[in-house]
Amino acid sequence: MLYFFTVFIIFISFLIFQHDQRTSVKYLLGTVLIYALAILFMILYLSRDVRYYNIIENYFLLPKTVWQTFMFFPITRDTIIRFMNLFSLLTILLGCFFSVSYMNITNKEIMKKVQKAVVIYILAEYLLYDPLVQKLGYLFLYPHIMNSGQFSLFLQILHILTMSINNLLVILSILNLFRSNRQIYAFPHFKYFAYGETISYTLIMVSYLALFGQLPAHMIRFSIVSGYTSYASLTLYDQTIIYTIFPYYLFLSSILMCICSIALARMNQKMNQKDFTISGQIDAVNTSSKAFCHYMKNELLAIEAEAQLLEVPGENQEDLNHIIERCRNLYNRLDKLHRSTKLAQLTMEQTGLEQLIHEMLGRMSPELKDYQVSVKAVGQIPQALVDPNHFEQALHNIVTNALDAMRDMPPERKTLHFTLRSIDNWIALSVTDTGPGIPEENLPHIFEPFFSSQPIAAHWGIGMTMTYQIIKAHNGKITAESKEGKGTTFRILLPNLKKMLP
């Protein structure tokens, strides 16, 4: 147990030194601090109970000198009970707040009302289990309203009810953490540490349920006749194995929590630095496309070589040169396709998407001179974690397809709209054109390799596939919506960098 407190003190010191401002860290820190204090007052209460004198040293691995100090510490049992109840209930409260801090809730008012209700419930429960309140309640109800047996039954029912609610709150806080982590953390770099923090919190709260699952409880028995107050013993497990394992279990859980929390704190610090980057990779579209390109390139080289050896009449020389030129053009296109399907390295950095879009459109201005283009940002748009070059290539592919689709449309129908907004845990970018739209039967296949509704001489059907791979490599999502005769909208979702760490 001394090891647990030592680790915890080191953990607190580190977080204070790091100035970690995450709300989740503050609540986690508070949860473990209050839990440690609850254990401390539980030890103080047990030290006054001779029933546990022979096993308490093994249960908490405390030196005899420390144990003797607790035994003779000048504090009343009623005061110990009050603090033990207070800290055990505050552990539940802060644990719930820690769990909620991982959630992205759009209606803040509802969440505040829920948190307020939990606070009121915890406060009411604390008062109900106060030794003085229990005595006053007994004096008020006995014997005119309830006899001694009925009062005891009332206390038992009350205890079962509050104990069930408390344990349910702890279990729900654990389940909510796993659910929230699955929804929030898009980047594996963050997800692993977040799940580690969640698992360590779970392990600690399991030990809390083992120690405090039946607390607070009515620990006093008051007799009006004799005016004597007796104190109940805390219920501990009788198995020796639990006494031996518990201190090590709590120690290892604390170590795991420290490692994960420190890793997340350092990640949070890096995220606040302008030069923060994450490396990633874009996988090849598929093995068959690479094999196809390689095979066709070899065949074209062979055809070109044989064509150059042909002896043709002078009037046919131009046709031969045209065939050779076509072979070279096809080879260059296939070579470009082949290189694009190889593994590409990403270097993702914090980037303003609105600025990136404007810069891309500036470079494409000659192609856009006959089109109406607008860029709109709805609200405050946080920076996204993207590779600027690859992400621009993905957008370029979408824009190129849109321009091709609208080429034969009347001038008023040649419009392209970019819209940026922040939605929950995502940064949403939509690209909408007013072209003829994509036929419904083709829409499910637009991201497939070599699929194109255009003639193969003009389109290889690889651009949208690479766009899909690039967005996927950014841990994002891309979908397409289209109505024939009205246009097409591509929607891209990228993880909101500011909401990765609660």
Side-chain angles (χ1 to χ4, degrees), residues 296 298-308 310 323-324 327:
M296 292 301 294
N298 288 340
E299 291 299 313
L300 284 170
L301 287 174
I303 293 172
E304 182 182 347
E306 292 181 9
Q308 289 174 344
L310 290 176
I323 292 173
I324 294 172
C327 287

Side-chain angles (χ1 to χ4, degrees), residues 23-32 94-95 97-98 101 115:
T23 304
S24 62
V25 167
K26 295 176 182 177
Y27 284 134
L28 180 61
L29 191 63
T31 302
V32 183
L94 292 177
F97 285 178
F98 169 66
S101 68
Q115 290 179 327

Side-chain angles (χ1 to χ4, degrees), residues 1 26 50 77 87 90 168 234 258 304 327 418 437 447:
M1 189 57 61
K26 295 176 182 177
V50 251
R77 280 197 180 188
F87 292 132
L90 286 179
L168 181 62
L234 287 173
C258 292
E304 182 182 347
C327 287
F418 293 82
F447 297 119

Side-chain angles (χ1 to χ4, degrees), residues 229-279:
T229 301
S230 61
Y231 293 87
S233 296
L234 287 173
T235 303
L236 296 180
Y237 294 99
D238 295 329
Q239 291 85 354
T240 309
I241 185 67
I242 294 180
Y243 303 151
T244 307
I245 291 176
F246 176 77
Y248 300 103
Y249 171 88
L250 195 58
F251 172 70
L252 293 175
S253 301
S254 304
I255 288 289
L256 177 61
M257 181 196 66
C258 292
I259 292 172
C260 296
S261 297
I262 289 170
L264 280 172
R266 288 180 173 175
M267 188 71 73
N268 188 46
Q269 283 186 331
K270 290 180 181 179
M271 284 173 57
N272 293 325
Q273 299 172 2
K274 293 184 178 180
D275 59 348
F276 173 67
T277 61
I278 288 181
S279 296

Side-chain angles (χ1 to χ4, degrees), residues 413 435-442 482-488:
R413 287 286 304 274
I438 302 172
E440 187 176 350
E441 63 272 15
N442 292 341
S482 186
K483 290 185 178 180
E484 291 190 67
K486 294 187 177 181
T488 303

Side-chain angles (χ1 to χ4, degrees), residues 130-422:
D130 184 270
L132 178 60
V133 173
Q134 183 181 345
K135 289 180 183 179
L136 293 176
Y138 182 69
L139 292 173
F140 176 76
L141 296 173
Y142 177 85
H144 305 291
I145 301 175
M146 292 182 181
N147 58 36
S148 180
Q150 291 171 333
F151 185 74
S152 297
L153 180 61
F154 168 74
L155 294 183
Q156 289 177 12
I157 294 174
L158 179 64
H159 180 243
I160 292 173
L161 179 63
T162 56
M163 181 180 64
S164 301
I165 295 175
N166 293 347
N167 292 344
L168 181 62
L169 286 174
V170 172
I171 293 171
L172 288 177
S173 70
I174 294 172
L175 294 177
N176 180 65
L177 277 174
F178 284 98
R179 185 191 66 84
S180 299
N181 282 333
R182 189 176 68 253
Q183 293 180 347
I184 290 178
Y185 289 94
F187 282 91
H189 305 74
F190 302 97
K191 184 178 291 185
Y192 299 143
F193 296 124
Y195 271 117
E197 194 175 62
T198 298
I199 290 171
S200 58
Y201 169 80
T202 301
L203 294 174
I204 289 176
M205 293 311 290
V206 167
S207 71
Y208 171 86
L209 291 175
L211 282 182
F212 296 94
Q214 297 186 7
L215 292 180
H218 297 97
M219 304 301 298
I220 66 169
R221 300 293 183 268
F222 178 68
S223 172
I224 295 180
V225 178
S226 62
Y228 178 74
T229 301
S230 61
Y231 293 87
S233 296
L234 287 173
T235 303
L236 296 180
Y237 294 99
D238 295 329
Q239 291 85 354
T240 309
I241 185 67
I242 294 180
Y243 303 151
T244 307
I245 291 176
F246 176 77
Y248 300 103
Y249 171 88
L250 195 58
F251 172 70
L252 293 175
S253 301
S254 304
I255 288 289
L256 177 61
M257 181 196 66
C258 292
I259 292 172
C260 296
S261 297
I262 289 170
L264 280 172
R266 288 180 173 175
M267 188 71 73
N268 188 46
Q269 283 186 331
K270 290 180 181 179
M271 284 173 57
N272 293 325
Q273 299 172 2
K274 293 184 178 180
D275 59 348
F276 173 67
T277 61
I278 288 181
S279 296
Q281 291 179 332
I282 306 175
D283 288 330
V285 175
N286 56 33
T287 305
S288 61
S289 66
K290 292 192 291 183
F292 168 79
C293 290
H294 182 73
Y295 173 78
M296 292 301 294
K297 283 163 62 180
N298 288 340
E299 291 299 313
L300 284 170
L301 287 174
I303 293 172
E304 182 182 347
E306 292 181 9
Q308 289 174 344
L309 296 175
L310 290 176
E311 295 182 2
V312 296
E315 64 270 16
N316 295 330
Q317 186 63 45
E318 185 177 351
D319 293 334
L320 179 62
N321 292 338
H322 182 66
I323 292 173
I324 294 172
E325 184 65 25
R326 289 289 301 274
C327 287
R328 288 175 180 172
N329 288 340
L330 285 172
Y331 180 89
N332 290 334
R333 289 177 64 188
L334 280 170
D335 185 60
K336 183 178 180 181
L337 175 63
H338 193 193
R339 283 185 282 108
S340 70
T341 59
K342 293 180 181 178
L343 196 65
Q345 187 73 26
L346 289 179
T347 301
M348 292 178 278
E349 58 189 53
Q350 298 184 59
T351 305
L353 292 184
E354 187 175 4
Q355 180 180 351
L356 184 147
I357 293 170
H358 281 295
E359 291 175 354
M360 179 195 70
L361 295 176
R363 286 187 279 270
M364 295 183 69
S365 56
E367 304 167 60
L368 297 170
K369 60 182 180 179
D370 297 327
Y371 298 86
Q372 300 176 32
V373 182
S374 65
V375 180
K376 180 182 179 182
V378 180
Q380 190 71 23
I381 308 300
Q383 289 189 319
L385 196 62
V386 299
D387 182 304
N389 295 324
H390 282 91
F391 190 75
E392 181 177 329
Q393 180 61 48
L395 292 181
H396 187 276
N397 293 339
I398 295 174
V399 172
T400 301
N401 280 6
L403 299 183
D404 287 344
M406 295 187 291
R407 181 167 286 111
D408 298 327
M409 304 295 292
E412 66 273 9
R413 287 286 304 274
K414 291 184 176 182
T415 60
L416 188 64
H417 303 286
F418 293 82
T419 305
L420 280 164
R421 53 170 53 88
S422 179

Side-chain angles (χ1 to χ4, degrees), residues 78-91:
D78 284 0
T79 303
I80 295 175
I81 291 172
R82 288 189 179 99
F83 278 110
M84 186 170 61
N85 289 344
L86 175 64
F87 292 132
S88 66
L89 289 171
L90 286 179
T91 302

